[in-house]
Amino acid sequence: MGMSILKALARLGGAASLTAVAQAVDESTAKVHRYMASLVEEGLVAQDAATQRYFLGQEAIHIGLAALRQCDPVRAGEPALARLRDELGVTCFIAVMGNQGPTILRIEEPALPVVVNVRAGSVLPLLWSATGQAFLAWSEGAQIDTQARRDWDGATPVQRAQLKGKDPVAGLRARVRAQGLSSVEGLLSPGISAVAAPIRLHTGQVAAVLTALGAAGGFDAAPEGRIATRVRQEADAISAALGFDGERG
């Protein structure tokens, strides 16, 4: 019962009345009050004297912070890489944002891998790769803006033709966010398509990006296609395991 009460408090935003908690765990207020007294004694729950509302105590906060420090998006995402590789027969990888740009840390290839020049340690462009576009769409700050300008300044005419409008980078960012993932076909490497979705921390910050790629002829890169749907599902599941509640922009 004690764990159920703690979980209910977390779902209720970290603070709630005794009645609300009792309703959340489907128990009587008298029974919940008895358990709540024990949790207060252990420092897992505290009570606001003015409102009588209960909230998560310091010990619960320390436990949560310890769990968050253990969150590793690459380790959490390794099972997803194996599932996507086996289920879809595609190359897939997890990348993080490094000093030089999106950097592949873990990659899985099918029995007949697509011949493409990416491997663990490869750095990808921000604007011209599905991975980079996912970072761009859900990241902010001087580093990401500087790299976007650098990629645009060094772009080929073919690449620039893919991004239109008065502010092509802002337009790309908005489009990817609206889709819920990025999708490219032959933009970085001719004949290669890819889809990528963000892996997010409890703060909403992008911790990594999950990407699948394959030869354009046999790879459906449509944002609502099977591959994109599965990549999005796996990225969302990893994000949930890292504490992201799905409610931030």
Side-chain angles (χ1 to χ4, degrees):
M1 173 62 73
M3 290 303 299
S4 296
I5 290 172
L6 289 174
K7 291 178 181 178
L9 272 175
R11 290 195 302 271
L12 293 168
S17 67
L18 180 64
T19 300
V21 175
Q23 290 175 344
V25 298
D26 195 24
E27 292 287 354
S28 69
T29 55
K31 184 175 182 178
V32 170
H33 185 267
R34 291 196 297 272
Y35 278 93
M36 198 74 84
S38 298
L39 293 171
V40 169
E41 185 176 345
E42 293 296 329
L44 292 167
V45 172
Q47 187 177 26
D48 186 314
T51 65
Q52 299 299 302
R53 285 160 60 88
Y54 290 93
F55 58 93
L56 294 173
Q58 284 297 316
E59 291 303 319
I61 293 171
H62 291 158
I63 292 170
L65 290 174
L68 288 173
R69 283 193 291 269
Q70 295 178 19
C71 288
D72 180 342
V74 177
R75 182 175 61 187
E78 285 180 348
L81 292 179
R83 281 192 295 271
L84 291 173
R85 176 201 61 198
D86 295 342
E87 178 183 335
L88 303 175
V90 298
T91 297
C92 48
F93 59 81
I94 293 176
V96 300
M97 182 60 75
N99 292 333
Q100 302 301 315
T103 304
I104 298 173
L105 287 192
R106 184 77 166 83
I107 187 168
E108 290 286 349
E109 296 180 303
L112 297 174
V114 174
V115 179
V116 61
N117 191 29
V118 295
R119 58 186 60 86
S122 294
V123 178
L124 302 170
L126 198 65
L127 298 184
W128 317 119
S129 68
T131 306
Q133 290 181 5
F135 275 112
L136 174 73
W138 284 278
S139 302
E140 296 179 354
Q143 179 186 0
I144 206 86
D145 292 339
T146 297
Q147 184 170 354
R149 287 194 297 271
R150 185 167 62 241
D151 280 8
W152 181 256
D153 291 343
T156 66
V158 172
Q159 288 173 328
R160 290 195 180 193
Q162 302 293 317
L163 305 182
K164 304 182 185 302
K166 294 179 61 176
D167 189 339
V169 173
L172 172 63
R173 196 177 242 142
R175 174 170 58 79
V176 172
R177 286 175 69 91
Q179 291 176 170
L181 85 171
S182 56
S183 170
V184 302
E185 298 182 63
L187 187 58
L188 178 60
S189 300
I192 299 298
S193 297
V195 295
I199 296 170
R200 304 172 74 179
L201 298 175
H202 71 289
T203 58
Q205 177 184 357
V206 179
V209 166
L210 177 64
T211 302
L213 60 81
F219 188 99
D220 179 11
E224 300 303 326
R226 177 176 176 236
I227 296 175
T229 297
R230 288 292 295 116
V231 169
R232 188 188 297 109
Q233 289 171 342
E234 293 287 2
D236 288 347
I238 300 167
S239 298
L242 297 177
F244 180 59
D245 59 16
E247 295 182 358
R248 296 166 183 84

